[in-house]
Amino acid sequence: MEWCVLLCSFLLLGFVPIQADVDQSTLAALQIHKNLNRSQEACTNFWNYACGNYSAADGAKYVDNFELVEDLYAQAMVEFMEGDLELVDSDVQLNEGPALRLLAQMRAYYNACTNDSQTDWPEEDFRLLESNDWALETAKFRRHGLNAVFFDERVDVAYNDSLRSVVQLKMPDPSSSYSERCALQLLKLNHSGSEAEVSRLVDQLRQLEAKHRQEEPLVQSWTLADLEQKIPQINWQAYFHELLSGHLNGVLFEVSDVDYLRELGQQLGNTNRSTINLYLRLRLTVLLKQTGPARRSPNTCIHHMRALLPLGMNYLYNRYVYKNRNLVDNIQLLEIFESLKGMFGKYLEANRLQLSPAQLSYVREKLSTMKLKVGNLPEETSPAFYDSHYESANFSDSHHLSNVLEALSLRTRLQHDVLRLPHSRLDLRRYYVNDDVVKARTSPFYENERNTITVPLIFLHFPLFDHRQHSIFQYSLMGGVLAHELSHAFEHEGILFDADGNESPVGLQIRDTKAFQNAIKCAAQTPAVSLKERLADLNGLQLAYDTFFGLDHNSQLYTYRPYAFESEFQAPQLFHLSYAQFFCGILPPVLGHDRDDVRVNVNVANLRQFSLDFKCPPPAVQSPPVCELWRPTASSILVSA
Ligand SMILES: *[C@@H]1O[C@H](CO)[C@@H](O)[C@H](O)[C@H]1NC(C)=O
Ligand SMILES: *[C@@H]1O[C@H](CO)[C@@H](O)[C@H](O)[C@H]1NC(C)=O
Ligand SMILES: *[C@@H]1O[C@H](CO)[C@@H](O)[C@H](O)[C@H]1NC(C)=O
Ligand SMILES: *[C@@H]1O[C@H](CO)[C@@H](O)[C@H](O)[C@H]1NC(C)=O
Ligand SMILES: *[C@@H]1O[C@H](CO)[C@@H](O)[C@H](O)[C@H]1NC(C)=O
Ligand SMILES: *[C@@H]1O[C@H](CO)[C@@H](O)[C@H](O)[C@H]1NC(C)=O
Ligand SMILES: *[C@@H]1O[C@H](CO)[C@@H](O)[C@H](O)[C@H]1NC(C)=O
Ligand SMILES: [Zn+2]
């Protein structure tokens, strides 16, 4: 049966690369050539050179390569969800039975999502959540996933103990003002009578936030008793009783913005109950709309489920769709990861930042214990765990809107359930990322607290990665991405966390060194949307390049034999072009990062070998010095070149 599933999905994908006579390296090279904009000099705008013709190439159908792999994933999962094919494990090494209940739940959810035509949210129904205490009422809405209306309450781990779950309390993040605006718009549409009161409430909240917002607020570690004593204006007992169903013993709270919370409690205590209820209802409606999907189709339902029900989707994809896990992808990814770590180890030997022995061993420890996870799945494999994990969610196979509410409640419940474990300690065997995303991650990510890089399974698709490709493609693109993520552990925010994911004064010392500060200043000379992304970008490319070519590589000293699959570009040039493929696309505004063209151009400008590799003429005006943080300074060979 396995070949049949394979065959069907490839037929459906309508995507050409699977042809026995064309190898994956040739395809990768072909793709790179198609994206080239030959009216552009590589030396002046490398992104435009490498990606400028993306829209004219096959990619025209997609905004970028992410959209392409997301589509491939969705098509394969739709096939799986709708197929009545006999279930065939894609992993021959598995000896556990399937989690059939989970499978049935996921199929029910998918069915309702694609079949149910109802689109209006039953906002009126949430009147049922009304209560005569605003904190209790807020908790009732919180149980349905609504957060950060009056304050932000979430489960995280303690700053000094990354295995201890705590509740964090603070004022809402500025980003929640978008949901505020949506709620007010909704209000204008339908509740004209109460518009003025709700607007006034929102204004008051904004003013309160503005008054108390601080750059780096003090964080207090408190018990519930402390919390009740220090902020008596809010009925915490009622709130947490409702949310944790009484499991309050020993829960630890990390509280910021104490003055804000006090004043908030006072103000809401004097606010009309029905105004508060109406505002909460509007915000929940907005949350449900944002959770989407905006337009329902088989593909959008798959991505919606990927964000909201990550464990279920990853389990099914990993078990029934993904083919190469234990055979090759895991091994190759680990090989790349270990090589990157090895090269970063050499960086540390050179000790550019002149760290003390204690500081060096802090960084080395962090490097050597860093983990790579392929797929956001727990270690635990027993079907009983997977079947019971979503057990409390009652998904219908016909009512999509109630399923979304059910899924949001499930997510919130699972996040808070950790607090019930003995001493609120995380069970790492069952840990996976289950946070409040609306759109699921496609790109790899690094978690400070876990000192772990996770590569989502969806990312492991051509053209981003293919186990059959020549290593130059793998080390430049996947290697570049993993190197970026690895570098997050050592930028100005990541460095504060030690090997175990606890905030450490040693990290702070390192960050405060003059050499580190100078490197940050250098990187910030070209304005960046996010400094940590800039630092990870620069060190990431440098690290990936050094890992593939070796330290102090100088392409002027070599004559390169052409690859069988690529006759025009020499190895170092091909490396840069392949690296850039990650960033190819029709330029959209990007949130949180610089725009892709800026990223590529700034990154290559800070790789001292780049201009040699492309034999760039000396610039007319003296270009600024390259910025390096951890990379050893150039040896005399390169300086004289
Ligand atoms: C872009 O691609 C098209 C089709 O592949 C090709 O004909 C054209 O010359 C390319 N344009 C540039 C500027 O390289
Ligand atoms: C290619 O680069 C040229 C020169 O910068 C630019 O005018 C053009 O818009 C780019 N794109 C394509 C598809 O030619
Ligand atoms: C719902 O979708 C399934 C396929 O997933 C289909 O067989 C069924 O007929 C649909 N039901 C309705 C009521 O549209
Ligand atoms: C973490 O900090 C809190 C308060 O600052 C303290 O009570 C607790 O003992 C610390 N835990 C560890 C593991 O150091
Ligand atoms: C507004 O109210 C009308 C009737 O009261 C209802 O049909 C409509 O669905 C509501 N719209 C929204 C966005 O809640
Ligand atoms: C609260 O608001 C509702 C509706 O806006 C109004 O009917 C009620 O009288 C108000 N209650 C008080 C105590 O002001
Ligand atoms: C599940 O939901 C259905 C309606 O959607 C309801 O009839 C049923 O009682 C619910 N079951 C549980 C266990 O809550
Ligand atoms: Zn990043």
Side-chain angles (χ1 to χ4, degrees):
M1 261 331 265
E2 187 172 358
W3 60 269
C4 177
V5 180
L6 249 170
L7 188 68
C8 301
S9 47
F10 284 144
L11 286 178
L12 250 177
L13 300 185
F15 185 64
V16 282
I18 316 304
Q19 292 169 16
D21 53 339
V22 184
D23 75 90
Q24 289 295 314
S25 297
T26 304
L27 282 170
L30 198 68
Q31 187 87 17
I32 285 171
H33 279 262
K34 279 183 178 167
N35 290 341
L36 288 176
N37 179 352
R38 291 190 182 272
S39 350
Q40 174 71 55
E41 289 288 327
C43 297
T44 42
N45 181 342
F46 186 61
W47 182 87
N48 191 23
Y49 179 68
C51 301
N53 211 7
Y54 178 87
S55 53
D58 284 354
K61 221 180 125 191
Y62 301 100
V63 165
D64 55 21
N65 285 326
F66 286 88
E67 212 176 83
L68 167 63
V69 300
E70 281 165 4
D71 199 34
L72 294 177
Y73 175 97
Q75 289 181 45
M77 283 304 273
V78 167
E79 166 94 346
F80 173 78
M81 289 291 190
E82 294 184 357
D84 49 7
L85 295 165
E86 187 186 321
L87 292 176
V88 179
D89 297 332
S90 61
D91 184 345
V92 289
Q93 292 171 14
L94 265 181
N95 49 16
E96 308 261 16
L100 290 175
R101 190 214 308 262
L102 176 68
L103 175 62
Q105 276 182 305
M106 298 300 286
R107 280 201 163 146
Y109 195 103
Y110 173 82
N111 231 31
C113 184
T114 49
N115 273 356
D116 181 11
S117 56
Q118 194 193 339
T119 54
D120 274 340
W121 295 100
E123 184 211 302
E124 275 297 310
D125 295 359
F126 305 138
R127 260 189 205 283
L128 293 174
L129 302 177
E130 191 157 350
S131 143
N132 58 13
D133 181 88
W134 73 262
L136 175 58
E137 188 167 332
T138 305
K140 289 183 174 181
F141 281 86
R142 177 72 183 109
R143 284 183 67 163
H144 289 85
L146 180 63
N147 195 13
V149 176
F150 303 127
F151 54 82
D152 189 295
E153 176 274 318
R154 64 185 64 215
V155 177
D156 205 315
V157 291
Y159 74 96
N160 59 355
D161 182 355
S162 67
L163 290 176
R164 165 102 198 222
S165 303
V166 300
V167 172
Q168 289 180 345
L169 291 168
K170 53 177 191 254
M171 73 163 73
D173 193 77
S175 63
S176 63
S177 68
Y178 177 72
S179 304
E180 261 171 31
R181 283 200 301 278
C182 296
L184 290 176
Q185 263 173 16
L186 207 60
L187 178 69
K188 277 202 193 108
L189 287 179
N190 257 22
H191 299 271
S192 38
S194 325
E195 207 177 313
E197 285 146 68
V198 176
S199 300
R200 196 173 326 120
L201 172 62
V202 172
D203 273 348
Q204 282 171 352
L205 291 170
R206 276 187 194 152
Q207 279 166 23
L208 203 58
E209 285 167 32
K211 177 174 165 192
H212 292 287
R213 194 169 299 286
Q214 288 170 303
E215 273 290 303
E216 295 200 1
L218 195 64
V219 180
Q220 314 273 358
S221 293
W222 284 343
T223 62
L224 183 62
D226 295 333
L227 188 58
E228 290 186 278
Q229 195 214 330
K230 310 274 189 188
I231 312 179
Q233 295 84 353
I234 296 179
N235 189 349
W236 299 110
Q237 274 288 346
Y239 180 90
F240 285 109
H241 233 274
E242 172 68 22
L243 197 61
L244 305 176
S245 342
H247 288 75
L248 293 168
N249 267 347
V251 175
L252 198 66
F253 298 83
E254 285 184 356
V255 190
S256 332
D257 309 314
V258 172
D259 290 332
Y260 167 84
L261 291 169
R262 286 182 181 140
E263 219 172 309
L264 175 80
Q266 209 141 34
Q267 247 177 46
L268 291 183
N270 296 326
T271 305
N272 186 326
R273 284 285 90 84
S274 41
T275 308
I276 290 179
N277 177 261
L278 175 55
Y279 185 48
L280 284 166
R281 275 190 280 142
L282 290 167
R283 285 290 295 268
L284 184 56
T285 309
V286 169
L287 172 68
L288 293 169
K289 278 185 193 292
Q290 283 169 349
T291 306
R295 264 171 299 129
R296 276 186 262 144
S297 72
N299 280 24
T300 59
C301 283
I302 291 294
H303 290 304
H304 161 77
M305 291 174 72
R306 200 162 71 83
L308 208 49
L309 301 164
L311 187 93
M313 291 302 270
N314 289 332
Y315 175 82
L316 295 181
Y317 182 80
N318 184 53
R319 178 141 189 161
Y320 298 112
V321 181
Y322 181 38
K323 301 295 169 196
N324 307 314
R325 184 185 190 75
N326 290 317
L327 301 175
V328 272
D329 285 1
N330 269 8
I331 298 166
Q332 288 190 347
L333 288 174
L334 280 173
E335 233 171 66
I336 298 171
F337 180 56
E338 289 306 323
S339 313
L340 293 169
K341 282 166 85 168
M343 181 50 70
F344 200 77
K346 287 192 186 167
Y347 282 14
L348 296 181
E349 272 167 38
N351 195 11
R352 178 190 185 117
L353 295 173
Q354 297 183 302
L355 303 181
S356 72
Q359 293 167 338
L360 262 184
S361 67
Y362 170 91
V363 180
R364 285 212 171 97
E365 170 82 3
K366 186 164 181 179
L367 178 68
S368 69
T369 55
M370 188 185 294
K371 289 178 290 295
L372 179 76
K373 242 174 108 168
V374 181
N376 177 23
L377 277 165
E379 274 171 54
E380 173 79 82
T381 57
S382 80
F385 164 71
Y386 287 91
D387 268 344
S388 62
H389 199 67
Y390 285 0
E391 191 177 359
S392 63
N394 182 12
F395 295 137
S396 121
D397 64 3
S398 52
H399 294 292
H400 175 65
L401 304 183
S402 61
N403 280 351
V404 176
L405 200 57
E406 193 72 18
L408 284 168
S409 311
L410 173 70
R411 184 160 79 179
T412 309
R413 195 156 62 237
L414 292 173
Q415 289 164 356
H416 286 81
D417 272 353
V418 184
L419 296 165
R420 301 171 185 225
L421 296 175
H423 310 289
S424 303
R425 294 198 86 68
L426 237 57
D427 177 356
L428 285 185
R429 259 188 73 72
R430 297 183 162 189
Y431 175 82
Y432 67 98
V433 176
N434 184 34
D435 55 358
D436 288 338
V437 289
V438 176
K439 188 177 184 307
R441 293 176 184 78
T442 296
S443 200
F445 55 92
Y446 173 75
E447 285 170 277
N448 284 314
E449 289 81 0
R450 302 274 71 82
N451 195 15
T452 299
I453 298 172
T454 302
V455 181
L457 298 178
I458 191 173
F459 195 79
L460 300 171
H461 269 120
F462 184 84
L464 297 176
F465 180 79
D466 190 292
H467 66 89
R468 292 162 294 186
Q469 282 173 341
H470 188 274
S471 59
I472 192 166
F473 297 113
Q474 299 182 344
Y475 275 74
S476 50
L477 203 163
M478 178 60 83
V481 173
L482 293 182
H484 170 103
E485 297 308 326
L486 183 151
S487 304
H488 271 310
F490 306 105
E491 30 85 339
H492 68 304
E493 289 178 19
I495 192 69
L496 301 180
F497 295 83
D498 69 12
D500 296 322
N502 301 325
E503 288 185 37
S504 158
V506 182
L508 200 57
Q509 272 176 20
I510 294 173
R511 181 166 91 172
D512 286 344
T513 59
K514 198 152 192 255
F516 200 102
Q517 289 298 320
N518 286 340
I520 290 182
K521 270 189 213 126
C522 181
Q525 272 170 359
T526 316
V529 170
S530 154
L531 183 58
K532 55 186 273 185
E533 293 307 332
R534 168 68 51 78
L535 292 171
D537 266 356
L538 299 188
N539 194 67
L541 174 57
Q542 292 158 11
L543 181 62
Y545 186 91
D546 290 344
T547 301
F548 191 74
F549 290 106
L551 273 179
D552 275 338
H553 179 75
N554 182 348
S555 56
Q556 290 178 319
L557 304 180
Y558 295 90
T559 44
Y560 294 91
R561 262 184 316 194
Y563 290 117
F565 47 80
E566 172 57 52
S567 52
E568 181 179 357
F569 296 109
Q570 294 172 349
Q573 298 172 333
L574 191 60
F575 184 95
H576 298 303
L577 289 167
S578 168
Y579 166 78
Q581 298 305 301
F582 176 82
F583 301 94
C584 283
I586 298 159
L587 281 184
V590 183
L591 300 172
H593 287 267
D594 286 314
R595 242 173 51 175
D596 286 333
D597 54 343
V598 176
R599 288 181 75 186
V600 170
N601 292 336
V602 172
N603 297 351
V604 297
N606 286 287
L607 181 78
R608 43 181 138 87
Q609 280 94 343
F610 178 82
S611 57
L612 297 181
D613 294 344
F614 275 96
K615 303 183 177 58
C616 297
V621 287
Q622 174 94 37
S623 47
V626 295
C627 299
E628 295 166 339
L629 173 58
W630 295 96
R631 196 186 198 201
T633 43
S635 81
S636 47
I637 303 172
L638 205 59
V639 171
S640 66

